[in-house]
Amino acid sequence: MAILNILVAPDERLKQEAQPVEKVDAEIQKLMDDMLDTMYDAPGIGLAAPQVGVLKRVIVVDIANTEEGEKPNPIKLANPEIVAESEEFSVYQEGCLSLPNFFEDVERPAKITVKGLNEKNEEVTFEADGLLATCIQHEMDHLNGTLFVDHISRLKRSRILTKLTKIKAQLAKHKQQQL
Ligand code: NI
C-alpha cells in the first residue's frame, strides 16, 4: 500500500504508449493496489499506470459514490481492450488527475464491451455503460498516450496546457525557495 506521485501534464511520459502486461503477478497486483490507494487519496474515479510513471497497460476504476453511501466497487484491469462499442454516443464533462481542476465535455461511445485480465490473471469480459463506460475509455486512452484534452478543440487544449505549465513553473519555484 502506497500513495504514488501523479504526473501532471504537460509531461512527455503521459504521451507514450504503455506496454502489455505478460502476466498479472505479485508485482502487477501491488501496482494495482498502489494505484487504487493513490486514486482514492486524490480523490479520483479512475487512474492509469502511465499517470504514475509506469508504462504498463494497467488501469483501475471505481465510480461508486461512497459519500452517498455506496460501497467501494474497484475494478482492476490489465491489457484492457474494447471488443464492442455502441453506435450511440454520450457526453460527459471529464476531468483528469493529470489535468487538475480542468473539466470539458467529451463525447464517447455510450456502451462498450471490455476484455482484460483481472487481479487474479483471469480473462474477464464485461459490458459497461454510463459513467463507467466513459471512465474506462478515458483510462484506456492514457495507455495510448492520449489525454481527454486531445478530444477537444486545439484552442481549448492549448489554453489548459499553458495554464498548467505556468502553475507547474510556480510550484517548482516555491520548492526551490524551500531548500
Ligand atoms: Ni485521466
Side-chain angles (χ1 to χ4, degrees):
M1 305 281 259
I3 306 292
L4 309 169
N5 182 41
I6 300 175
L7 301 178
V8 171
D11 189 308
E12 277 308 308
R13 290 169 288 180
L14 291 170
K15 295 171 94 174
Q16 289 171 27
E17 185 155 335
Q19 297 305 307
V21 164
E22 266 181 43
K23 187 186 174 211
V24 180
D25 55 13
E27 184 199 343
I28 298 296
Q29 285 165 352
K30 183 178 186 310
L31 173 65
M32 288 170 161
D33 289 339
D34 288 347
M35 283 170 59
L36 266 182
D37 286 344
T38 304
M39 182 191 87
Y40 288 134
D41 179 68
I45 60 170
L47 192 68
Q51 292 180 275
V52 293
V54 178
L55 286 175
K56 289 185 175 154
R57 303 189 81 80
V58 174
I59 64 170
V60 294
V61 169
D62 190 344
I63 61 157
N65 190 340
T66 48
E67 281 179 16
E68 296 283 320
E70 290 178 27
K71 284 192 179 144
N73 186 20
I75 295 172
K76 310 173 196 179
L77 274 184
N79 304 342
E81 273 177 66
I82 292 175
V83 292
E85 61 186 33
S86 62
E87 282 176 24
E88 182 199 334
F89 281 74
S90 63
V91 177
Y92 275 92
Q93 196 175 58
E94 296 190 20
C96 179
L97 294 173
S98 294
L99 297 153
N101 304 319
F102 290 97
F103 301 90
E104 292 290 342
D105 282 349
V106 179
E107 192 180 60
R108 301 182 187 271
K111 198 172 172 185
I112 54 172
T113 305
V114 191
K115 191 174 93 170
L117 295 173
N118 68 12
E119 72 272 25
K120 295 172 190 159
N121 197 49
E122 298 161 341
E123 192 177 287
V124 290
T125 303
F126 61 95
E127 282 189 2
D129 61 8
L131 178 60
L132 183 61
T134 287
C135 188
I136 289 171
Q137 291 174 82
H138 173 119
E139 302 316 328
M140 286 181 62
D141 267 357
H142 279 296
L143 306 179
N144 297 321
T146 300
L147 300 175
F148 84 78
V149 287
D150 295 314
H151 292 283
I152 63 177
S153 75
R154 184 179 291 189
L155 188 71
K156 281 183 182 171
R157 178 168 60 247
S158 88
R159 185 172 53 85
I160 290 173
L161 292 174
T162 303
K163 280 186 187 164
L164 280 172
T165 303
K166 282 183 190 161
I167 291 167
K168 284 172 81 175
Q170 280 169 358
L171 285 175
K173 213 172 165 187
H174 285 157
K175 269 186 194 162
Q176 277 177 352
Q177 284 166 350
Q178 279 168 7
L179 288 175

